[in-house]
């Protein structure tokens, strides 16, 4: 499962502005959709509504997962099927292994190691975000922004949800880990339905569908190749 559908979704946070205006699209099971558009165009609102940080008003359209209105399932079971990788991941002041293990209650050390490997974080599994390493017993290098993101990716891999919401970092990440992040993201997105607020060129280029948003509406859509051909 994991097919997502937005059916004529209109949403306002307050009376003055319309954040989303008649948004319709489908994310077929296992496919990836990239959301692009300037700040304030509605990208985050799409993710927030799917995760039910806010509910649609009567007459504001519908959001469906596998044909079922998300208001008809409990928030708990909805959120169990969705993995979220935020722009800035806040980590516990504990080992990377512990931070990854948080993704799944009762995960075995082997499972945690496996997830860490898929996100290229296994070499730092015993170190803390601030660099302190429990095994070495001394302070090493602090985690970079890219590494923190890979911890969040590993945590989500462990949770293993059919649906993913990704908010890619706008800030320039350390280029040395760019390849590692790309690979970790590939491992995560593979086989899941994903909606990404996309800033990385690799994410946009590999998306099955790109939605270009402006003022709460979809103004263009297609694959990377199709959109390039529009000029
Ligand atoms: P970004 O600018 O990186 O897309 P946000 O999604 O947080 O970051 O913000 C998008 C727009 O929404 C901004 O113009 C911001 O001022 C506005 N915004 C975000 N949160 C609130 C809020 N709680 N109340 C009013 N406006 C908000
Ligand atoms: P994006 O993620 O593309 O930057 P958003 O979805 O955050 O855009 O914002 C869409 C619109 O909704 C903007 O006009 C923004 O100012 C408004 N908005 C976003 N969050 C809030 C909020 N919490 N309260 C009021 N208005 C908001």
């Amino acid at each position: 499962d994991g097919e997502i559908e937005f059916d004529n979704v209109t949403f306002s946070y307050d009376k003055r502005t319309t954040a989303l205006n008649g948004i319709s699209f489908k994310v077929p099971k296992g496919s990836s959709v990239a959301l692009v558009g300037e700040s304030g165009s509605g990208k985050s609102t799409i993710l927030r509504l799917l995760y039910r940080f806010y509910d649609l008003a009567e007459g504001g359209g519908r959001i469906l997962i596998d044909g079922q209105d998300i208001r008809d399932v409990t928030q708990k079971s909805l959120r169990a099927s969705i993995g979220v990788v935020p722009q800035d991941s806040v980590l516990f002041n504990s080992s990377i292994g512990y931070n990854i293990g948080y993704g799944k209650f009762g995960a075995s050390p082997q499972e945690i190691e496996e997830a860490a490997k898929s996100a290229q974080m296994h070499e730092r599994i015993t170190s803390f975000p601030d660099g302190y390493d429990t095994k070495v017993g001394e302070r090493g290098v602090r985690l970079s922004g890219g590494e923190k993101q890979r911890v969040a990716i590993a945590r989500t891999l462990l949770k293993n949800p059919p649906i993913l919401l990704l908010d890619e970092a706008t800030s320039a990440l350390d280029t040395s880990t760019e390849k590692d992040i790309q690979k970790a993201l590939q491992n995560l997105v593979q086989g899941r339905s994903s909606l990404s607020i996309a800033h990385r060129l690799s994410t946009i280029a590999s998306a099955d569908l790109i939605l270009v948003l402006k003022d709460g509406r979809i103004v263009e859509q297609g694959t990377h190749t199709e959109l390039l051909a529009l000029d």
Side-chain angles (χ1 to χ4, degrees):
D1 55 359
E3 186 191 75
I4 305 160
E5 181 176 2
F6 274 60
D7 175 21
N8 200 21
V9 169
T10 293
F11 181 78
S12 300
Y13 290 95
D14 52 48
K15 291 193 181 73
R16 284 172 294 125
T17 50
T18 305
L20 296 180
N21 199 340
I23 295 283
S24 295
F25 65 89
K26 269 189 195 173
V27 185
K29 175 181 150 57
S31 73
S32 55
V33 170
L35 304 171
V36 303
E38 59 196 43
S39 184
S41 59
K43 305 178 298 293
S44 319
T45 303
I46 287 177
L47 303 197
R48 290 177 196 142
L49 289 173
L50 186 61
Y51 205 62
R52 283 189 67 187
F53 276 130
Y54 299 91
D55 271 333
L56 291 177
E58 210 54 52
R62 298 181 307 163
I63 300 171
L64 310 163
I65 292 179
D66 298 320
Q68 186 173 38
D69 194 310
I70 59 170
R71 287 168 294 194
D72 294 340
V73 297
T74 62
Q75 198 178 66
K76 197 178 169 197
S77 76
L78 173 78
R79 291 183 178 180
S81 67
I82 301 176
V84 181
V85 180
Q87 198 173 100
D88 297 300
S89 304
V90 180
L91 302 181
F92 299 110
N93 182 28
S94 189
S95 72
I96 298 313
Y98 178 87
N99 272 282
I100 293 172
Y102 190 76
K104 183 180 172 185
F105 183 73
S108 69
Q110 289 80 1
E111 284 177 284
I112 293 170
E113 172 112 24
E114 190 73 20
K117 270 198 182 129
S118 298
Q120 284 79 47
M121 280 308 291
H122 51 291
E123 277 165 20
R124 300 206 62 178
I125 209 160
T126 53
S127 63
F128 278 44
D130 70 0
Y132 183 80
D133 196 302
T134 49
K135 208 160 146 196
V136 184
E138 61 188 51
R139 187 177 290 259
V141 190
R142 293 178 73 88
L143 287 198
S144 67
E147 285 172 324
K148 278 189 198 162
Q149 206 172 37
R150 281 188 279 134
V151 172
I153 289 170
R155 181 188 283 171
T156 310
L157 273 162
L158 197 61
K159 182 179 175 181
N160 196 22
I163 293 171
L164 288 177
L165 304 180
L166 292 138
D167 191 354
E168 290 184 345
T170 38
S171 52
L173 292 164
D174 37 309
T175 48
S176 62
T177 56
E178 168 67 31
K179 279 229 159 62
D180 285 340
I181 295 165
Q182 213 168 305
K183 202 155 186 196
L185 280 171
Q186 270 168 15
N187 286 337
L188 183 63
V189 166
Q190 184 67 36
R192 304 175 209 274
S193 309
S194 65
L195 261 175
S196 307
I197 297 179
H199 293 294
R200 319 177 79 75
L201 199 55
S202 57
T203 303
I204 296 169
S206 65
D208 296 307
L209 177 68
I210 301 164
L211 302 177
V212 184
L213 291 154
K214 191 174 174 17
D215 299 330
R217 295 175 192 274
I218 297 170
V219 290
E220 306 279 8
Q221 59 180 300
T223 61
H224 191 222
T225 320
E226 285 165 357
L227 291 183
L228 285 175
L230 284 174
D231 292 332

